[in-house]
Amino acid sequence: MNIILLGPPGAGKGTQARILVEERGMTQLSTGDMLREAKDSGTEMGKIVADVMARGDLVTDEIVIGLIREKLAEGGNGFIFDGFPRTLAQADALAQLLNECGQTLDRVVELRVDDEALVARITARSTCGNCGEVYNDITKPIPADGKCSNCGGTEFKRRADDNEDSLKKRLMEYYKQTSPLIGYYYAKGQHTRVDGLGEIDEVKSAIAEKLDG
Ligand code: AP5
Ligand code: MG
């Protein structure tokens, strides 16, 4: 089963994708994580995207479609597209890429969360520098011994775009460019919606119902 997790910044896409990877052996394809990796390793592409991402703007379709094309060419299935597609052009490209490798898109799960909750979540987020486990100062604090519960890592990072100004921009980009995908997938009969405001486990169960129902 290949699925898209669709939702604004802070909706919980990454958190839920990691749970699906662990519990169902699926493969998370997060374009945000791929772009941050390129930025951290200092590749040419990473240098180009660094400022764009820090401002909260979208990276070009060409770059992100290229990243997804490479991953799909490596083979496998059970993909969770996290943060991709984000524009109608990306959605069309994904349909074509899946078609070319004989795969289907089975569900699009929209995580619905209101804007106030998103700001609170994002400004309290940190991630493990080693394995990427996602934490939150309020709802999922780093363990008291200072070690990541997943890998034991002791370095935690905050993202350059997790500030109020960039977040406003990211939200506007979501409403302008990405939210039209809700209608796009609704028209194809693939869209489902989950209340993303509940606790992490509640959201997990709501997603499971959509995937298994
Ligand atoms: P990306 O990395 O995709 O960021 P995003 O979409 O802004 O989403 P986030 O990763 O911020 O949020 P999330 O939904 O994963 O939430 P999380 O689980 O971490 O993209 C970053 C940038 O890269 C873009 O702005 C753009 O520049 C570029 N980019 C990426 N893809 C692109 C594309 N396709 N096209 C063009 N440009 C692209 O959770 C957030 C916090 O909330 C955490 O602290 C977590 O612990 C907490 N939390 C999660 N769930 C719950 C819950 N149920 N209750 C309470 N707290 C919760
Ligand atoms: Mg994420």
Coordinates of all heavy atoms in Angstrom, one line a residue, residues 34-123:
M34 N 14.9 14.9 3.1 CA 15.9 14.7 2.0 C 16.6 16.0 1.7 O 17.8 16.1 1.5 CB 15.2 14.2 0.7 CG 14.7 12.8 0.8 SD 13.7 12.5 -0.8 CE 12.6 11.3 -0.2
L35 N 15.8 17.1 1.7 CA 16.3 18.4 1.4 C 17.2 18.9 2.6 O 18.3 19.5 2.3 CB 15.2 19.5 1.2 CG 14.4 19.3 -0.1 CD1 13.1 20.1 0.0 CD2 15.2 19.6 -1.3
R36 N 16.8 18.6 3.8 CA 17.7 19.0 5.0 C 19.0 18.2 4.9 O 20.1 18.7 5.2 CB 16.9 18.7 6.3 CG 16.0 19.9 6.7 CD 15.4 19.7 8.0 NE 14.4 18.7 8.0 CZ 13.1 18.8 7.5 NH1 12.7 20.0 7.1 NH2 12.3 17.8 7.5
E37 N 18.9 16.9 4.5 CA 20.1 16.1 4.4 C 21.1 16.7 3.4 O 22.3 16.8 3.6 CB 19.8 14.7 3.9 CG 19.8 13.7 5.0 CD 19.2 12.3 4.5 OE1 19.6 11.9 3.4 OE2 18.3 11.8 5.2
A38 N 20.5 17.1 2.2 CA 21.3 17.7 1.1 C 22.0 19.0 1.7 O 23.1 19.3 1.4 CB 20.5 18.0 -0.1
K39 N 21.2 19.8 2.4 CA 21.7 21.0 3.0 C 22.9 20.8 4.0 O 23.9 21.4 3.9 CB 20.5 21.7 3.7 CG 20.7 23.2 4.0 CD 19.5 23.7 4.8 CE 19.5 23.1 6.2 NZ 18.5 23.7 7.1
D40 N 22.6 19.8 4.9 CA 23.7 19.5 5.9 C 24.9 18.9 5.3 O 26.0 19.1 5.8 CB 23.1 18.5 6.9 CG 22.0 19.1 7.8 OD1 21.9 20.4 7.7 OD2 21.3 18.4 8.5
S41 N 24.8 18.2 4.2 CA 26.0 17.6 3.6 C 26.7 18.5 2.6 O 27.7 18.2 2.0 CB 25.7 16.2 3.0 OG 24.7 16.4 2.0
G42 N 26.1 19.7 2.4 CA 26.7 20.8 1.6 C 26.8 20.5 0.1 O 27.7 21.1 -0.5
T43 N 25.9 19.7 -0.4 CA 25.9 19.5 -1.9 C 25.4 20.8 -2.6 O 24.9 21.7 -1.9 CB 24.9 18.4 -2.3 OG1 23.5 18.8 -1.9 CG2 25.2 17.1 -1.6
E44 N 25.7 20.9 -3.9 CA 25.3 22.1 -4.7 C 23.8 22.3 -4.5 O 23.3 23.4 -4.2 CB 25.6 21.9 -6.2 CG 27.0 22.3 -6.6 CD 27.4 23.6 -6.0 OE1 26.7 24.6 -6.2 OE2 28.4 23.7 -5.2
M45 N 23.0 21.3 -4.6 CA 21.6 21.4 -4.5 C 21.2 21.9 -3.0 O 20.3 22.7 -2.9 CB 20.9 20.1 -4.8 CG 19.4 20.1 -4.9 SD 18.6 19.5 -3.4 CE 18.7 17.8 -3.7
G46 N 21.9 21.3 -2.1 CA 21.7 21.7 -0.7 C 21.9 23.2 -0.5 O 21.2 23.9 0.3
K47 N 22.9 23.7 -1.1 CA 23.2 25.2 -1.0 C 22.1 26.0 -1.6 O 21.7 27.1 -1.1 CB 24.6 25.5 -1.7 CG 25.8 25.0 -0.9 CD 27.1 25.4 -1.6 CE 28.2 24.5 -1.1 NZ 29.3 24.3 -2.1
I48 N 21.6 25.5 -2.8 CA 20.5 26.3 -3.4 C 19.3 26.3 -2.6 O 18.6 27.4 -2.5 CB 20.2 25.6 -4.8 CG1 21.4 25.7 -5.7 CG2 19.0 26.2 -5.5 CD1 21.3 24.9 -7.0
V49 N 18.9 25.2 -1.9 CA 17.7 25.2 -1.2 C 17.7 25.7 0.2 O 16.6 26.1 0.8 CB 17.1 23.7 -1.1 CG1 16.9 23.2 -2.5 CG2 18.0 22.8 -0.3
A50 N 18.9 25.9 0.8 CA 19.0 26.3 2.2 C 18.2 27.6 2.5 O 17.4 27.6 3.4 CB 20.4 26.5 2.6
D51 N 18.4 28.7 1.7 CA 17.7 29.9 2.0 C 16.2 29.8 1.8 O 15.4 30.4 2.5 CB 18.3 31.0 1.1 CG 19.7 31.5 1.6 OD1 20.0 31.1 2.7 OD2 20.4 32.1 0.8
V52 N 15.9 29.1 0.7 CA 14.5 29.0 0.3 C 13.7 28.3 1.5 O 12.7 28.8 1.9 CB 14.3 28.1 -0.9 CG1 12.9 27.9 -1.3 CG2 15.1 28.7 -2.1
M53 N 14.3 27.2 2.0 CA 13.7 26.5 3.1 C 13.6 27.3 4.4 O 12.6 27.4 5.1 CB 14.4 25.2 3.4 CG 14.3 24.2 2.3 SD 15.3 22.7 2.7 CE 14.3 21.9 3.9
A54 N 14.7 28.0 4.7 CA 14.7 28.8 6.0 C 13.6 29.9 5.9 O 13.1 30.2 7.0 CB 16.1 29.4 6.1
R55 N 13.3 30.4 4.7 CA 12.3 31.5 4.6 C 10.9 30.9 4.7 O 9.9 31.6 4.9 CB 12.4 32.2 3.2 CG 13.4 33.2 3.1 CD 13.1 34.1 1.9 NE 12.9 33.4 0.6 CZ 13.9 33.1 -0.3 NH1 15.1 33.4 0.0 NH2 13.6 32.4 -1.4
G56 N 10.8 29.6 4.4 CA 9.5 28.9 4.5 C 8.8 28.9 3.1 O 7.6 28.6 3.0
D57 N 9.6 29.2 2.0 CA 9.1 29.1 0.7 C 9.2 27.6 0.2 O 9.9 26.8 0.8 CB 9.9 29.9 -0.3 CG 9.6 31.4 -0.2 OD1 8.4 31.7 0.0 OD2 10.5 32.3 -0.2
L58 N 8.5 27.3 -0.9 CA 8.6 26.0 -1.5 C 9.8 25.9 -2.4 O 10.1 26.9 -3.2 CB 7.4 25.6 -2.3 CG 6.1 25.4 -1.5 CD1 5.0 24.8 -2.5 CD2 6.3 24.4 -0.4
V59 N 10.5 24.8 -2.4 CA 11.6 24.5 -3.3 C 11.0 24.2 -4.7 O 9.8 23.8 -4.7 CB 12.4 23.3 -2.7 CG1 13.4 22.7 -3.7 CG2 13.1 23.7 -1.4
T60 N 11.7 24.3 -5.8 CA 11.1 24.1 -7.1 C 10.6 22.6 -7.3 O 11.1 21.7 -6.7 CB 12.1 24.3 -8.2 OG1 13.1 23.4 -8.1 CG2 12.6 25.8 -8.2
D61 N 9.5 22.5 -8.1 CA 8.9 21.2 -8.4 C 10.0 20.3 -8.9 O 10.1 19.1 -8.6 CB 7.8 21.4 -9.4 CG 6.6 22.0 -8.8 OD1 6.4 21.9 -7.6 OD2 5.8 22.6 -9.6
E62 N 10.8 20.9 -9.8 CA 11.8 20.1 -10.5 C 12.8 19.3 -9.5 O 13.0 18.2 -9.7 CB 12.7 21.0 -11.4 CG 13.5 20.4 -12.5 CD 14.4 21.4 -13.1 OE1 14.3 22.6 -12.8 OE2 15.2 21.0 -13.9
I63 N 13.2 20.1 -8.5 CA 14.1 19.5 -7.5 C 13.4 18.4 -6.8 O 14.0 17.2 -6.7 CB 14.7 20.6 -6.6 CG1 15.7 21.5 -7.3 CG2 15.4 19.9 -5.3 CD1 16.3 22.6 -6.5
V64 N 12.3 18.6 -6.2 CA 11.6 17.6 -5.4 C 11.1 16.4 -6.2 O 11.2 15.3 -5.7 CB 10.5 18.1 -4.5 CG1 11.1 19.0 -3.4 CG2 9.5 18.9 -5.2
I65 N 10.7 16.6 -7.4 CA 10.2 15.5 -8.2 C 11.5 14.6 -8.5 O 11.4 13.4 -8.5 CB 9.5 16.0 -9.5 CG1 8.2 16.7 -9.1 CG2 9.3 14.9 -10.5 CD1 7.5 17.5 -10.3
G66 N 12.6 15.3 -8.8 CA 13.8 14.6 -9.0 C 14.2 13.7 -7.9 O 14.6 12.5 -8.0
L67 N 14.1 14.2 -6.6 CA 14.4 13.4 -5.4 C 13.5 12.2 -5.3 O 14.0 11.1 -5.0 CB 14.2 14.3 -4.2 CG 15.2 15.4 -4.0 CD1 14.8 16.3 -2.8 CD2 16.6 14.8 -3.6
I68 N 12.2 12.4 -5.6 CA 11.3 11.2 -5.5 C 11.5 10.2 -6.6 O 11.5 9.0 -6.4 CB 9.8 11.8 -5.5 CG1 9.5 12.6 -4.2 CG2 8.8 10.6 -5.7 CD1 9.4 11.8 -2.9
R69 N 11.8 10.7 -7.8 CA 12.1 9.8 -8.9 C 13.2 8.9 -8.5 O 13.2 7.7 -8.7 CB 12.4 10.6 -10.2 CG 12.7 9.7 -11.4 CD 13.1 10.5 -12.6 NE 11.9 11.3 -13.2 CZ 11.9 12.6 -13.3 NH1 12.9 13.3 -12.9 NH2 10.8 13.2 -13.8
E70 N 14.3 9.5 -8.0 CA 15.5 8.7 -7.6 C 15.1 7.6 -6.6 O 15.5 6.4 -6.7 CB 16.5 9.6 -6.9 CG 17.5 10.2 -7.9 CD 18.4 11.2 -7.1 OE1 18.8 10.9 -5.9 OE2 18.8 12.2 -7.7
K71 N 14.3 8.0 -5.6 CA 13.9 7.0 -4.5 C 13.1 5.9 -5.1 O 13.2 4.7 -4.8 CB 13.1 7.7 -3.4 CG 13.9 8.6 -2.6 CD 14.9 7.9 -1.7 CE 15.8 8.9 -1.0 NZ 16.9 8.2 -0.2
L72 N 12.1 6.2 -6.0 CA 11.2 5.2 -6.5 C 12.0 4.3 -7.5 O 11.7 3.1 -7.5 CB 10.1 5.8 -7.3 CG 9.0 6.6 -6.4 CD1 7.9 7.2 -7.3 CD2 8.4 5.6 -5.4
A73 N 13.1 4.8 -8.1 CA 13.9 4.0 -9.0 C 14.7 2.9 -8.2 O 15.1 1.9 -8.8 CB 14.8 4.9 -9.8
E74 N 14.9 3.2 -6.9 CA 15.6 2.2 -6.1 C 14.7 1.0 -5.8 O 15.2 0.0 -5.3 CB 16.0 2.8 -4.8 CG 17.1 3.8 -4.9 CD 17.4 4.6 -3.6 OE1 16.8 4.3 -2.6 OE2 18.1 5.7 -3.7
G75 N 13.4 1.0 -6.1 CA 12.5 -0.1 -5.9 C 11.9 -0.1 -4.6 O 12.0 0.9 -3.8
G76 N 11.1 -1.2 -4.3 CA 10.4 -1.3 -3.0 C 9.0 -0.9 -3.2 O 8.5 -0.5 -4.2
N77 N 8.2 -1.0 -2.1 CA 6.8 -0.5 -2.1 C 6.4 -0.2 -0.6 O 7.3 -0.3 0.3 CB 5.9 -1.5 -2.8 CG 5.9 -2.9 -2.1 OD1 6.3 -3.0 -1.0 ND2 5.6 -3.9 -2.9
G78 N 5.2 0.1 -0.4 CA 4.7 0.5 0.9 C 5.3 1.9 1.3 O 5.8 2.1 2.4
F79 N 5.2 2.8 0.3 CA 5.7 4.1 0.5 C 4.8 5.0 1.2 O 3.6 5.0 1.0 CB 6.1 4.8 -0.8 CG 7.3 4.1 -1.5 CD1 7.1 3.4 -2.7 CD2 8.5 4.1 -1.0 CE1 8.1 2.8 -3.4 CE2 9.6 3.5 -1.6 CZ 9.4 2.8 -2.8
I80 N 5.3 5.8 2.2 CA 4.6 6.9 2.8 C 5.1 8.2 2.2 O 6.3 8.5 2.5 CB 4.7 6.9 4.3 CG1 4.4 5.6 4.9 CG2 3.9 8.0 4.9 CD1 5.1 5.4 6.3
F81 N 4.4 8.9 1.4 CA 4.9 10.2 0.9 C 4.5 11.3 2.0 O 3.4 11.5 2.3 CB 4.2 10.5 -0.4 CG 4.6 9.5 -1.5 CD1 3.8 8.4 -1.8 CD2 5.8 9.6 -2.1 CE1 4.1 7.5 -2.7 CE2 6.2 8.6 -3.1 CZ 5.4 7.6 -3.4
D82 N 5.6 11.8 2.6 CA 5.4 12.8 3.7 C 5.9 14.1 3.2 O 7.1 14.3 3.0 CB 6.2 12.2 4.9 CG 6.6 13.2 6.0 OD1 6.1 14.4 5.9 OD2 7.4 12.9 6.9
G83 N 5.0 15.1 3.1 CA 5.4 16.4 2.6 C 5.6 16.5 1.1 O 6.1 17.4 0.5
F84 N 5.1 15.5 0.4 CA 5.1 15.4 -1.1 C 3.9 14.6 -1.5 O 3.6 13.6 -0.9 CB 6.4 14.7 -1.6 CG 6.4 14.6 -3.1 CD1 7.1 15.6 -3.8 CD2 5.8 13.5 -3.8 CE1 7.1 15.5 -5.2 CE2 5.9 13.4 -5.1 CZ 6.5 14.4 -5.9
P85 N 3.1 15.0 -2.5 CA 3.3 16.2 -3.3 C 2.7 17.5 -2.5 O 1.9 17.3 -1.6 CB 2.4 15.9 -4.5 CG 1.3 15.0 -4.0 CD 2.0 14.2 -3.0
R86 N 3.2 18.6 -3.0 CA 2.8 19.9 -2.3 C 2.2 20.9 -3.3 O 1.8 22.0 -3.0 CB 4.0 20.5 -1.7 CG 4.2 20.4 -0.2 CD 5.5 21.0 0.1 NE 5.6 21.5 1.4 CZ 6.0 20.8 2.5 NH1 6.5 19.6 2.3 NH2 6.1 21.4 3.6
T87 N 2.2 20.5 -4.6 CA 1.6 21.3 -5.7 C 0.9 20.4 -6.6 O 1.2 19.2 -6.6 CB 2.7 22.1 -6.5 OG1 3.5 21.2 -7.1 CG2 3.6 23.0 -5.6
L88 N 0.0 21.0 -7.5 CA -0.7 20.1 -8.4 C 0.3 19.5 -9.4 O 0.1 18.3 -9.8 CB -1.7 21.0 -9.1 CG -2.9 21.4 -8.3 CD1 -3.8 22.5 -8.9 CD2 -3.8 20.2 -7.9
A89 N 1.3 20.3 -9.8 CA 2.3 19.7 -10.7 C 3.0 18.5 -10.1 O 3.3 17.5 -10.8 CB 3.4 20.8 -11.1
Q90 N 3.3 18.6 -8.8 CA 4.0 17.4 -8.1 C 3.0 16.2 -8.0 O 3.4 15.1 -8.2 CB 4.4 17.8 -6.7 CG 5.6 18.8 -6.7 CD 6.0 19.2 -5.2 OE1 5.7 18.5 -4.3 NE2 6.5 20.4 -5.1
A91 N 1.7 16.5 -7.8 CA 0.7 15.4 -7.8 C 0.6 14.7 -9.1 O 0.6 13.5 -9.2 CB -0.6 16.0 -7.4
D92 N 0.6 15.5 -10.2 CA 0.6 14.9 -11.5 C 1.9 14.0 -11.8 O 1.8 12.9 -12.3 CB 0.5 15.9 -12.6 CG -0.9 16.5 -12.7 OD1 -1.9 15.8 -12.3 OD2 -1.1 17.6 -13.2
A93 N 3.0 14.6 -11.3 CA 4.3 13.9 -11.5 C 4.3 12.6 -10.7 O 4.7 11.6 -11.2 CB 5.4 14.8 -11.1
L94 N 3.7 12.6 -9.5 CA 3.7 11.4 -8.7 C 2.9 10.3 -9.4 O 3.3 9.1 -9.4 CB 3.2 11.7 -7.3 CG 3.0 10.5 -6.4 CD1 4.4 9.8 -6.1 CD2 2.4 10.8 -5.0
A95 N 1.7 10.7 -9.9 CA 0.8 9.7 -10.6 C 1.6 9.1 -11.7 O 1.6 7.9 -11.9 CB -0.4 10.4 -11.1
Q96 N 2.3 9.9 -12.5 CA 3.1 9.4 -13.6 C 4.2 8.4 -13.2 O 4.4 7.4 -13.7 CB 3.6 10.5 -14.4 CG 4.0 10.1 -15.8 CD 4.6 11.2 -16.6 OE1 4.3 12.4 -16.4 NE2 5.6 10.9 -17.5
L97 N 4.9 8.9 -12.1 CA 6.1 8.1 -11.7 C 5.6 6.7 -11.1 O 6.2 5.7 -11.4 CB 6.8 8.8 -10.5 CG 7.7 10.0 -11.0 CD1 8.2 10.8 -9.8 CD2 8.9 9.5 -11.9
L98 N 4.5 6.7 -10.4 CA 4.0 5.5 -9.8 C 3.5 4.5 -11.0 O 3.8 3.3 -11.0 CB 2.8 5.7 -8.9 CG 3.2 6.3 -7.5 CD1 2.0 6.7 -6.7 CD2 4.0 5.3 -6.7
N99 N 2.9 5.2 -11.9 CA 2.4 4.4 -13.1 C 3.6 3.7 -13.8 O 3.5 2.6 -14.2 CB 1.7 5.4 -14.0 CG 0.9 4.7 -15.1 OD1 0.5 3.5 -14.9 ND2 0.7 5.3 -16.2
E100 N 4.6 4.5 -14.0 CA 5.8 4.0 -14.7 C 6.4 2.8 -14.0 O 7.0 1.9 -14.6 CB 6.9 5.1 -14.8 CG 6.6 6.0 -15.9 CD 7.5 7.3 -15.8 OE1 8.5 7.3 -15.1 OE2 7.2 8.3 -16.5
C101 N 6.3 2.7 -12.6 CA 6.9 1.6 -12.0 C 5.8 0.6 -11.5 O 6.0 -0.3 -10.7 CB 7.9 1.9 -10.8 SG 7.2 3.1 -9.6
G102 N 4.6 0.7 -12.2 CA 3.6 -0.3 -12.0 C 3.0 -0.3 -10.6 O 2.5 -1.3 -10.1
Q103 N 3.0 0.9 -9.9 CA 2.5 1.0 -8.6 C 1.2 1.9 -8.6 O 1.0 2.6 -9.5 CB 3.5 1.6 -7.6 CG 4.8 0.8 -7.6 CD 5.2 0.5 -6.2 OE1 4.5 0.4 -5.3 NE2 6.5 0.3 -6.1
T104 N 0.5 1.7 -7.5 CA -0.7 2.6 -7.3 C -0.6 3.4 -6.1 O 0.1 3.2 -5.2 CB -2.0 1.7 -7.2 OG1 -1.7 0.8 -6.1 CG2 -2.3 0.9 -8.4
L105 N -1.5 4.5 -6.1 CA -1.6 5.3 -4.9 C -2.9 4.8 -4.2 O -4.0 4.8 -4.8 CB -1.7 6.8 -5.2 CG -1.9 7.7 -4.1 CD1 -0.7 7.7 -3.1 CD2 -2.1 9.1 -4.6
D106 N -2.8 4.3 -2.9 CA -4.0 3.7 -2.3 C -4.8 4.6 -1.4 O -6.0 4.5 -1.4 CB -3.5 2.5 -1.6 CG -2.8 1.5 -2.6 OD1 -3.5 0.9 -3.4 OD2 -1.6 1.4 -2.5
R107 N -4.1 5.5 -0.7 CA -4.9 6.4 0.2 C -4.2 7.7 0.3 O -2.9 7.8 0.3 CB -5.0 5.9 1.6 CG -5.7 4.6 1.8 CD -7.2 4.8 1.9 NE -7.8 3.5 2.5 CZ -7.8 2.4 1.9 NH1 -7.3 2.2 0.7 NH2 -8.4 1.3 2.4
V108 N -4.9 8.8 0.5 CA -4.4 10.1 0.8 C -5.0 10.4 2.1 O -6.2 10.6 2.2 CB -4.7 11.1 -0.3 CG1 -4.2 12.5 0.2 CG2 -4.2 10.7 -1.6
V109 N -4.2 10.5 3.2 CA -4.8 10.8 4.5 C -4.4 12.3 4.9 O -3.3 12.6 5.1 CB -4.2 9.9 5.6 CG1 -4.8 10.2 6.9 CG2 -4.4 8.4 5.2
E110 N -5.5 13.1 5.0 CA -5.3 14.5 5.4 C -5.3 14.6 6.9 O -6.3 14.1 7.5 CB -6.4 15.4 4.7 CG -6.2 16.8 5.1 CD -7.5 17.6 5.0 OE1 -8.5 17.1 4.4 OE2 -7.6 18.8 5.5
L111 N -4.3 15.2 7.5 CA -4.3 15.4 8.9 C -4.8 16.8 9.2 O -4.2 17.8 8.8 CB -2.9 15.2 9.5 CG -2.3 13.8 9.4 CD1 -0.8 13.9 9.9 CD2 -3.1 12.9 10.3
R112 N -6.0 16.9 9.8 CA -6.6 18.2 10.0 C -6.2 18.8 11.4 O -6.6 18.1 12.4 CB -8.1 18.0 9.9 CG -8.9 19.3 9.6 CD -8.4 19.8 8.3 NE -9.2 21.0 7.9 CZ -10.2 21.1 7.2 NH1 -10.8 20.0 6.7 NH2 -10.8 22.2 6.9
V113 N -5.6 19.9 11.5 CA -5.2 20.6 12.7 C -5.4 22.1 12.6 O -5.0 22.6 11.6 CB -3.7 20.3 13.1 CG1 -3.3 20.9 14.4 CG2 -3.5 18.8 13.2
D114 N -5.9 22.8 13.6 CA -6.1 24.2 13.4 C -4.8 25.0 13.6 O -3.9 24.5 14.3 CB -7.2 24.9 14.2 CG -7.6 24.2 15.4 OD1 -7.0 23.2 15.6 OD2 -8.5 24.6 16.2
D115 N -4.7 26.2 13.1 CA -3.5 27.0 13.0 C -2.9 27.2 14.4 O -1.7 27.1 14.5 CB -3.7 28.3 12.3 CG -4.1 28.1 10.8 OD1 -4.1 27.0 10.4 OD2 -4.3 29.2 10.1
E116 N -3.7 27.5 15.4 CA -3.1 27.9 16.7 C -2.3 26.7 17.2 O -1.2 26.8 17.8 CB -4.2 28.2 17.7 CG -5.0 29.4 17.4 CD -6.2 29.1 16.6 OE1 -7.3 28.7 17.2 OE2 -6.2 29.2 15.3
A117 N -2.9 25.5 17.1 CA -2.2 24.3 17.6 C -0.9 24.1 16.8 O 0.1 23.6 17.4 CB -3.1 23.1 17.4
L118 N -0.9 24.4 15.5 CA 0.3 24.2 14.7 C 1.5 25.1 15.2 O 2.6 24.6 15.4 CB 0.1 24.6 13.3 CG -1.0 23.7 12.6 CD1 -1.3 24.2 11.2 CD2 -0.6 22.3 12.5
V119 N 1.2 26.3 15.5 CA 2.2 27.2 16.0 C 2.8 26.7 17.3 O 4.0 26.6 17.5 CB 1.7 28.7 16.3 CG1 2.7 29.6 16.8 CG2 1.1 29.2 15.0
A120 N 1.9 26.3 18.2 CA 2.4 25.7 19.5 C 3.2 24.5 19.3 O 4.3 24.3 20.0 CB 1.2 25.4 20.4
R121 N 2.8 23.6 18.4 CA 3.6 22.4 18.2 C 5.0 22.7 17.6 O 6.0 22.1 18.0 CB 2.8 21.5 17.2 CG 1.7 20.8 17.8 CD 1.1 19.8 16.8 NE -0.1 19.1 17.3 CZ -0.7 18.2 16.6 NH1 -0.3 17.9 15.5 NH2 -1.8 17.7 17.2
I122 N 5.0 23.5 16.6 CA 6.2 23.7 15.8 C 7.3 24.5 16.7 O 8.5 24.1 16.6 CB 5.9 24.6 14.6 CG1 5.1 23.8 13.6 CG2 7.2 25.2 14.0 CD1 5.9 23.0 12.6
T123 N 6.8 25.5 17.5 CA 7.8 26.2 18.2 C 8.4 25.4 19.4 O 9.3 25.8 20.0 CB 7.2 27.6 18.7 OG1 6.0 27.3 19.3 CG2 7.0 28.5 17.5

